[in-house]
């Protein structure tokens, strides 16, 4: 029974990559799963996959744009952040750039020097099937 639980957890878990303190990456970085950054990236951070999570520790730095579904920021970012789903700004977050998010959690002490823009997905409208009368359309006045 214990082995079954471990197997179930591992099949749903994400692979995590770690970029350690003292490591500098020059150029764009693409990742899937989870990425934890303690080092420095001089370039864009780009997630592949809707379940990707980017975590920037208090020692971590990014000079470039961040495009991810879910970001947890507690370090320094010089660039724009595009969080498709959720953005968490921890107390030591220092962002110089615009922030675009769907859901935002911001702790006391976090700083954003730029614009903050809430993104809302457009709601898809359902059109009536051909041949079906629609009450809203019947009331429309022809131009």
């Amino acid at each position: 029974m214990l082995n079954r639980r471990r197997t179930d957890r591992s099949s749903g878990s994400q692979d995590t990559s770690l970029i350690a303190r003292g490591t500098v990456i020059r150029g764009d970085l693409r990742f899937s799963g989870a990425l934890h950054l303690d080092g420095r990236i001089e370039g864009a951070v780009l997630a592949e996959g809707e379940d990707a999570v980017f975590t920037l520790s208090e020692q971590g730095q990014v000079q470039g744009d961040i495009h991810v579904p879910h970001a947890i920021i507690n370090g320094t970012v010089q660039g724009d952040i595009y969080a498709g789903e959720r953005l968490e700004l921890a107390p030591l977050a220092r962002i110089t750039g615009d922030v675009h998010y769907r859901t935002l959690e911001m702790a006391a002490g976090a700083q954003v020097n730029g614009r903050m823009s809430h993104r809302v997905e457009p709601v898809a409208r359902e059109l009536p099937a051909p041949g079906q009368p629609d009450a809203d359309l019947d009331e429309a006045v022809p131009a």
Side-chain angles (χ1 to χ4, degrees):
M1 182 151 183
L2 291 176
N3 289 336
R4 182 185 308 161
R5 287 187 181 174
R6 285 186 190 149
T7 304
D8 292 344
R9 276 190 216 150
S10 64
S11 65
S13 68
Q14 298 176 343
D15 293 330
T16 300
S17 299
L18 170 65
I19 298 174
R21 189 183 329 185
T23 302
V24 178
I25 295 177
R26 291 184 177 93
D28 295 347
L29 176 70
R30 294 183 183 275
F31 74 97
S32 60
L35 173 64
H36 184 92
L37 176 63
D38 288 335
R40 178 181 177 93
I41 295 176
E42 297 174 359
V45 177
L46 308 162
E48 296 176 349
E50 295 177 10
D51 60 344
V53 178
F54 174 65
T55 304
L56 180 66
S57 74
E58 58 273 1
Q59 298 91 14
Q61 299 176 357
V62 175
Q63 279 190 314
D65 292 347
I66 299 172
H67 295 264
V68 296
H70 185 180
I72 303 165
I73 308 294
N74 200 25
T76 304
V77 176
Q78 293 179 343
D80 296 344
I81 299 176
Y82 300 86
E85 291 298 322
R86 183 175 178 81
L87 175 61
E88 299 177 37
L89 300 177
L92 298 178
R94 302 293 180 263
I95 299 166
T96 303
D98 296 342
V99 174
H100 307 271
Y101 60 90
R102 187 168 185 200
T103 303
L104 174 67
E105 180 180 331
M106 187 170 179
Q111 297 178 8
V112 177
N113 297 308
R115 291 182 293 179
M116 298 185 74
S117 176
H118 178 248
R119 291 185 158 197
V120 180
E121 282 189 23
V123 178
R125 286 186 52 192
E126 291 187 27
L127 297 175
Q132 285 186 335
D134 186 29
D136 294 338
L137 294 178
D138 290 340
E139 295 174 11
V141 177

